[in-house]
């Protein structure tokens, strides 16, 4: 395992950087069970029809050149195994208050680094390094980025389930106005809405 500093990433020319959220949530607003498990999503993913495909995730991911995710989210994705790593060779910044404790498997050490800067500083760094589109993932990470007005749009896929308890997507987030772009429904009951954040 290894941990690296973000300063080792290559410097690219300045470009305008967009930050997006793409996440599934239950109807009552939870993204995971209280223990962090997302197994309840499996039945809906497995029941998607051929026409549903991956519900737009591949197209979204193709527009991404940097991921910023919380340590718990990174650990969970790593736990699925190397064969199920969904992000290809895209750069991943793992956001943690204590980067030195982040464990990065050697197989991901060339693309993943641990960072601790504030969301607005991370977005400034991303822009300086030439990244154009950032995928922000993980409940606490999304909340903190929203609090600093660093999110430009959200793609929320609602699962037809009332979980009753768990990890909420929105917690102590500021009041933000959203512009509805589109909503799609799928044969497995999922409903996906795209919103722009009005800054």
């Amino acid at each position: 395992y290894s941990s690296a500093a973000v300063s080792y990433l290559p410097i690219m020319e300045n470009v305008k950087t967009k930050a997006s959220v793409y996440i599934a949530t239950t109807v009552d607003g939870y993204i995971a069970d209280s223990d962090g498990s997302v197994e309840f999503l499996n039945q809906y993913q497995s029941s998607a029809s051929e026409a549903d495909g991956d519900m737009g995730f591949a197209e979204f991911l193709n527009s991404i050149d940097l991921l910023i995710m919380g340590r718990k989210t990174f650990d969970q994705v790593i736990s699925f195994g190397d064969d199920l790593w969904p992000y290809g060779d895209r750069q991943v910044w793992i956001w943690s208050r204590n980067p030195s404790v982040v464990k990065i498997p050697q197989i991901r050490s060339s693309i993943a680094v641990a960072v601790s800067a504030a969301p607005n500083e991370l977005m400034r760094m991303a822009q300086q390094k030439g990244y154009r589109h950032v995928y922000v993932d993980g409940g606490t990470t999304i909340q903190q980025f929203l609090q600093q007005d660093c999110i430009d749009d959200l793609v929320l896929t609602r699962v037809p389930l009332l979980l009753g308890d768990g990890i909420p997507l929105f917690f102590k987030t500021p009041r933000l106005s959203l512009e509805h772009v589109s909503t799609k429904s799928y044969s497995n009951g999922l409903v996906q809405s795209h919103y722009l954040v009005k800054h």
Side-chain angles (χ1 to χ4, degrees), residues 75-157:
D75 288 346
Q76 184 175 63
V77 175
I78 288 296
S79 74
F80 298 154
D82 294 338
D83 293 340
L84 295 179
W85 176 259
Y87 310 123
D89 59 357
R90 293 169 183 82
Q91 293 291 316
V92 180
W93 293 359
I94 307 152
W95 193 49
S96 172
R97 290 185 177 88
N98 189 357
S100 64
V101 305
V102 176
K103 302 298 183 182
I104 301 174
Q106 188 62 39
I107 194 172
R108 304 296 169 207
S109 62
S110 64
I111 61 170
V113 295
V115 297
S116 61
N120 53 7
E121 176 66 11
L122 289 177
M123 291 305 300
R124 186 190 67 79
M125 293 164 60
Q127 181 159 333
Q128 283 186 337
K129 294 177 183 298
Y131 292 113
R132 295 165 298 182
H133 194 184
V134 179
Y135 175 12
V136 179
D137 198 19
T140 300
T141 305
I142 292 170
Q143 292 163 16
Q144 293 296 316
F145 271 68
L146 285 170
Q147 286 181 12
Q148 295 198 10
D149 197 22
C150 291
I151 298 296
D152 296 296
D153 70 330
L154 306 100
V155 178
L156 306 179
T157 303

Side-chain angles (χ1 to χ4, degrees), residues 146 149 151-154 176-178 195-199:
L146 285 170
D149 197 22
I151 298 296
D152 296 296
D153 70 330
L154 306 100
L176 295 171
S177 294
L178 306 177
Y195 300 95
L196 300 180
V197 178
K198 294 183 178 180
H199 296 290

Side-chain angles (χ1 to χ4, degrees), residues 14-32:
N14 269 350
V15 293
K16 181 172 174 57
T17 305
K18 171 184 175 182
S20 298
V21 170
Y22 188 109
I23 197 166
T25 174
T26 60
V27 170
D28 52 349
Y30 295 105
I31 58 173

